[in-house]
Amino acid sequence: MRAIVYALIFYPGTLLFVIGCFVASLFSPAALRSTVRFWADFHHHLARLLGTRLSVEGEVPRGAYLVAIKHQSMFETLEMMRIARTPIVVLKRQLSQMPGFGWATRRYGVIPVDRQAGAKALREMLAAGKEAVATGRPVLIYPEGTRVKPGETPPLQAGFAGLYKALGLPVVPVAMDSGRFWGRNLPRGTGTVRFLIGEPIPAGLKRDEIEARVHAGINALELAPEPRA
């Protein structure tokens, strides 16, 4: 029942916000970011109403950082818009090329990634990354590349290390455990989702070291004890 109520409210509401984002993008990137933040707030309060509480330990620093987060459900994709204050987002290149929506995402601020990237696509990604750094906003990436189930700790996608090197930014690892209460796109139980924001990891590390430290950081809750009630 909880999932049904969520779907009946969130998805029609999201359609309105998508239209609002497109309209806002016609005016200014700032107006678009404000609309995205309202959308994230809408989702946050709806999830809370349906029994999802939130515990955030630590804080994403202001300024240009690469924010690497664990990915278990749709919940964190919107919640991080609030926690990281409407960051630039690394997303699939195909989404940034969709008619209308793709134009709005580019106005908002994205770094498009193509997993089968050729030289041209790679140059476009690096150019978008440099533009992102110049804005002073954090850059959000899901370094595992896709959603994973609770307890799974796959290796990071190869593109993470390349982007880390190209951007030259410190990395803020974020562990979270939304998969305990959320399926892929819908809530399936009540409880407190934890976000554990780690200390920044400096730029300029070798690939093996940065991958090991980020992997440990985003999986910090996998072996952590449950918080006391």
Side-chain angles (χ1 to χ4, degrees), residues 56-208:
V56 180
E57 303 172 45
E59 184 178 7
V60 175
R62 292 187 178 275
Y65 288 85
L66 187 57
V67 181
I69 180 172
K70 188 77 177 175
H71 193 14
Q72 294 182 348
S73 75
M74 186 181 71
F75 179 80
E76 58 270 10
T77 62
L78 282 170
E79 199 60 42
M80 284 303 296
M81 295 296 102
R82 303 175 65 255
I83 294 173
R85 297 175 290 274
T86 57
I88 289 167
V89 180
V90 178
L91 50 65
K92 292 180 181 178
R93 189 166 181 260
Q94 295 90 327
L95 294 177
S96 70
Q97 294 177 325
M98 292 175 61
F101 177 77
W103 180 77
T105 65
R106 294 193 299 273
R107 290 275 284 176
Y108 167 80
V110 298
I111 299 176
V113 174
D114 187 347
R115 292 180 184 174
Q116 282 77 43
K120 180 180 178 181
L122 182 60
R123 288 195 298 270
E124 290 175 352
M125 182 191 77
L126 296 181
K130 291 178 180 178
E131 290 179 5
V133 172
T135 68
R137 292 162 62 192
V139 176
L140 182 66
I141 186 172
Y142 298 93
E144 292 167 321
T146 187
R147 297 177 182 91
V148 300
K149 296 178 180 179
E152 293 182 346
T153 59
L156 308 188
Q157 292 289 313
F160 168 76
L163 192 62
Y164 164 78
K165 181 179 180 180
L167 298 186
L169 295 177
V171 183
V172 178
V174 181
M176 62 89 233
D177 58 1
S178 68
R180 294 190 299 143
F181 311 111
W182 281 65
R184 185 177 179 88
N185 295 311
L186 297 171
R188 63 184 180 193
T190 60
T192 300
V193 175
R194 299 175 65 195
F195 282 75
L196 178 60
I197 303 172
E199 293 295 321
I201 302 170
L205 300 180
K206 294 182 178 179
R207 177 173 178 172
D208 288 348

